[in-house]
Amino acid sequence: TWNHTFYWLGFTPKGQGKPAGELAAAIDAKWGSFEKFQEAFNACAAGTFGSGWAWLVKTPAGELDLVSTSNAGTPLTTENTPLLTCDVWEHAYYIDYRNSRPNYLKGFWEIVNWDEVASRSRNFIKSSCLCVSNADSISCEIKKLLTIF
């Protein structure tokens, strides 16, 4: 449920084209250009075997990265902070895109809410949790969730 909620909140009916400001600068610094970032993200999404998710994340060092998770996997189980995700389960594109993941990805970019992604990036905090028990781990995850939304 969390992955899908996060996914839907990353969209806007009137797409915003490209990110601006600090997020655009961070993308350019990491991938060289927004177009190269899109290519890398698309490769991550298209290369996710079976059902899963492609993610733009911010690492604990504050750097951007791309990760793929299978099934219901989420970066929340790592130290990465999710900024944007693309659902690559077949149900996301089977009917509208005739089961074509590449065509689905073209449509994905048309509705990304870059203001929301930038806000997630600005509001990320490095996890200061030292998790020594399962209860501590759950508490850390709740703190991370609260900083994302």
Side-chain angles (χ1 to χ4, degrees):
T1 300
W2 190 91
N3 286 2
H4 279 107
T5 302
F6 187 82
Y7 170 74
W8 290 114
L9 292 174
F11 295 142
T12 183
K14 297 178 181 176
Q16 298 173 334
K18 296 181 180 182
E22 292 178 16
L23 180 60
I27 287 172
D28 288 348
K30 172 77 178 190
W31 288 280
S33 70
F34 178 71
E35 293 73 21
K36 294 288 186 193
F37 158 71
Q38 279 184 305
E39 289 174 16
F41 190 97
N42 286 349
C44 179
T48 299
F49 179 76
S51 299
W53 304 83
W55 302 86
L56 171 65
V57 299
K58 192 170 256 190
T59 69
E63 298 173 357
L64 298 181
D65 201 5
L66 298 174
V67 296
S68 170
T69 59
S70 297
N71 301 315
T74 174
L76 294 177
T77 59
T78 70
E79 292 189 6
N80 292 328
T81 299
L83 305 179
L84 175 69
T85 193
C86 183
D87 181 349
V88 292
W89 283 67
E90 187 178 73
H91 65 243
Y93 56 91
Y94 181 76
I95 294 174
D96 290 345
Y97 294 95
R98 305 282 186 213
N99 207 27
S100 172
R101 213 179 261 188
N103 288 338
Y104 162 65
L105 292 169
K106 288 179 190 174
F108 169 82
W109 294 112
E110 294 174 4
I111 58 172
V112 171
N113 184 342
W114 290 111
D115 291 341
E116 175 63 24
V117 177
S119 175
R120 293 168 177 170
S121 181
R122 281 190 306 274
N123 294 329
F124 114 100
I125 59 170
K126 293 180 183 177
S127 175
S128 60
C129 300
L130 176 60
C131 302
V132 293
S133 71
N134 193 37
D136 287 342
S137 179
I138 292 169
S139 175
C140 290
E141 294 308 315
I142 291 170
K143 287 178 186 177
K144 282 170 54 176
L145 281 172
L146 292 174
T147 63
I148 293 168
F149 286 123

